[in-house]
Amino acid sequence: MSDQYQPKPEHKFTFGLWTVGNPGRDPFGDVVRPPLKPTYTVKKLSELGAYGVNLHDNDLVPFDATAVERDNIVSEFKKALADHGMKVPMATTNLFYHPVFKDGAFTANDPKVRAFAIQKTLNAIDLGVELGATIYVFWGGREGAEVDASKNGPDTVKWNREAMNFFTHYVKDQGYDLRFALEAKPNEPRGDIYLPTTGHMLHFIETLDHPEMVGVNPEFAHETMAGLSFIHGVAQAYESGKLFHIDLNDQKMSRFDQDLRFGSENIKAAFFLVKFLEDVNWDGNRHFDAHAYRTEDEQGVWDFAAGCMRSYLILKEKARRFNEDAEIQGILAEIHARDAELEGLMAHYTAESVGKLRKIDFDPDTIAQKGLGYEKLDQLTFEVLTGVR
Ligand code: GLT
Ligand code: MN
Ligand code: MN
């Protein structure tokens, strides 16, 4: 293995405890791997070159743990983090596994369930902050419906909003350094999940009491399940200052949430994503929310984790080559040729610019005759990716 592709903490790669810890259960079959102890996962991931681990409250502390058990588990885990120089940059709440959440958490019809979900999340926020997290993810996997007669659409949006507002006020009151990242998914485990895409989330955020504290956590698999372009959603979130976190994995379109090893399916889409994050020098962690195939034993799990990071670094190197390729850059320079006068007119509405715009004598037929060279550009991209250039 070339050292160039060896992950290091400075690359800021993180994994959820639930990702490498995924035991391979699916709706048709039981676990295929024994559970991994969180402290062992910390050690193994640090040996592979990761920067940190992220977790749900119950990935670390069992749902029914007593306060004393909780404190013992947390102090043992903190020791493992310190021993291996690992961080917990992000935390989240498990609001989907226990049967109490079968009809949702913040959007369950039963107010007792909604209140319990808020109580559980307050405790989980405290846990995340205690471990050093500065990003808190909300993935509302059970916030949805199969029976549309069962819930009133606007109520579910309102309840979701009230919960988010409750938590932003709590975080401010506590003086925590914590921002929220909302993660969308179109379906699974619910027939339909509310706020199903990153675009829905971006609008919802603007309706909150403290929108500045809340951004998104787009996931490659989830946008792809919805048939959408992940990179376009990521770019929009970034441009709005809302790309607080990211879930990297891979996915075949229109299927169940596969959470595949990063780069394993859509190489070109993964490439443009990595290129984007690196070109804009995005300062977030490169978090992998994926898991090993069900066919794997523990060694396969570490092969999977190493593969996610190595593939990212390989694509990063390909992005560097793309950016330095004279022929590609020549085509891009032509495609991106600017027109300061016209762009100045379009940038801001004024009555004067309307007058000027109306006077320009465009020749649409001539403009339309120009070929744009995208065939060549895309072929050159393919050649960079396949190592021919
Ligand atoms: C669950 C889900 C992921 C979310 C996790 C965070 S939980 O594994 O499939 O996409 O990011 O709650
Ligand atoms: Mn995810
Ligand atoms: Mn997923």
Side-chain angles (χ1 to χ4, degrees):
M1 274 196 193
S2 153
D3 187 52
Q4 183 184 11
Y5 305 129
Q6 169 63 42
K8 301 191 185 91
E10 75 209 38
H11 295 126
K12 298 282 180 75
F13 290 129
T14 61
F15 288 83
L17 279 182
W18 70 92
T19 62
V20 286
N22 184 299
R25 185 186 287 114
D26 74 14
F28 300 95
D30 210 341
V31 301
V32 293
R33 293 183 285 268
L36 298 175
K37 246 195 122 192
T39 47
Y40 176 69
T41 299
V42 166
K43 172 174 174 281
K44 291 298 286 186
L45 285 175
S46 88
E47 286 168 5
L48 290 177
Y51 169 74
V53 286
N54 300 321
L55 48 89
H56 299 86
D57 49 355
N58 302 139
D59 295 340
L60 183 63
V61 181
F63 186 89
D64 52 5
T66 64
V68 174
E69 285 164 348
R70 178 230 185 251
D71 289 349
N72 287 338
I73 292 168
V74 172
S75 66
E76 190 196 4
F77 189 68
K78 278 180 172 167
K79 181 171 180 307
L81 293 170
D83 287 351
H84 300 288
M86 291 278 277
K87 306 274 182 246
V88 176
M90 176 273 259
T92 180
T93 329
N94 187 323
L95 295 170
F96 44 88
Y97 197 81
H98 192 283
V100 71
F101 300 124
K102 64 189 177 194
D103 188 35
F106 308 137
T107 63
N109 267 325
D110 184 344
K112 283 196 286 302
V113 175
R114 301 204 300 275
F116 174 65
I118 288 180
Q119 182 195 72
K120 188 175 196 286
T121 303
L122 292 172
N123 294 337
I125 287 176
D126 292 349
L127 172 67
V129 170
E130 183 178 348
L131 294 171
T134 55
I135 294 286
Y136 204 84
V137 162
F138 287 88
W139 173 67
R142 295 273 174 207
E143 315 291 7
E146 293 76 34
V147 176
D148 279 330
S150 69
K151 287 183 192 179
N152 164 332
D155 272 351
T156 64
V157 181
K158 184 171 90 69
W159 290 334
N160 239 328
R161 179 182 303 114
E162 285 171 357
M164 287 309 135
N165 286 339
F166 202 97
F167 300 131
T168 54
H169 290 294
Y170 176 69
V171 163
K172 283 177 99 62
D173 262 5
Q174 297 299 118
Y176 290 159
D177 172 20
L178 192 68
R179 296 186 302 163
F180 297 166
L182 310 187
E183 178 177 348
K185 187 174 180 182
N187 60 276
E188 194 199 337
R190 298 311 295 264
D192 286 288
I193 297 178
Y194 302 131
L195 302 171
T197 69
T198 295
H200 289 78
M201 288 297 184
L202 286 171
H203 171 262
F204 172 71
I205 290 166
E206 296 309 315
T207 71
L208 300 176
D209 287 354
H210 284 292
E212 75 287 354
M213 286 174 65
V214 187
V216 290
N217 177 37
E219 176 175 313
F220 196 122
H222 298 176
E223 303 293 311
T224 307
M225 285 168 76
L228 302 175
S229 159
F230 184 57
I231 176 74
H232 293 182
V234 167
Q236 185 179 352
Y238 174 82
E239 201 273 340
S240 332
K242 290 295 183 194
L243 188 62
F244 285 11
H245 200 262
I246 197 161
D247 275 2
L248 301 173
N249 55 21
D250 214 332
Q251 173 77 24
K252 287 190 184 178
M253 195 173 126
S254 305
R255 305 208 174 172
F256 65 94
D257 188 22
Q258 295 176 302
D259 293 335
L260 298 168
R261 189 181 74 256
F262 183 63
S264 59
E265 278 299 326
N266 303 282
I267 296 177
K268 214 200 277 181
F271 166 70
F272 280 111
L273 179 73
V274 170
K275 181 170 141 44
F276 177 78
L277 296 177
E278 297 302 321
D279 283 353
V280 301
N281 208 5
W282 184 62
D283 62 1
N285 296 320
R286 276 62 174 164
H287 170 70
F288 297 105
D289 184 13
H291 51 76
Y293 302 127
R294 198 165 175 268
T295 48
E296 302 309 292
D297 61 6
E298 189 189 317
Q299 183 52 48
V301 170
W302 306 123
D303 291 343
F304 145 82
C308 285
M309 297 187 280
R310 185 171 162 80
S311 297
Y312 187 101
L313 293 175
I314 291 170
L315 292 173
K316 181 176 168 181
E317 167 61 12
K318 297 290 182 195
R320 191 188 64 74
R321 290 190 196 193
F322 181 101
N323 288 342
E324 287 182 0
D325 188 299
E327 196 174 357
I328 291 176
Q329 293 310 313
I331 296 176
L332 287 176
E334 203 173 315
I335 292 169
H336 296 156
R338 302 268 85 112
D339 184 324
E341 200 186 328
L342 277 185
E343 288 177 321
L345 273 184
M346 292 184 286
H348 301 287
Y349 170 85
T350 62
E352 199 195 349
S353 59
V354 172
K356 284 189 181 161
L357 203 49
R358 283 217 165 104
K359 281 202 194 98
I360 303 176
D361 188 16
F362 291 108
D363 180 357
D365 292 335
T366 304
I367 297 170
Q369 274 165 22
K370 188 171 185 282
L372 298 181
Y374 293 175
E375 284 289 356
K376 183 84 177 276
L377 182 61
D378 193 61
Q379 177 67 23
L380 294 176
T381 303
F382 175 86
E383 294 188 11
V384 167
L385 282 177
T386 49
V388 177
R389 296 178 73 83

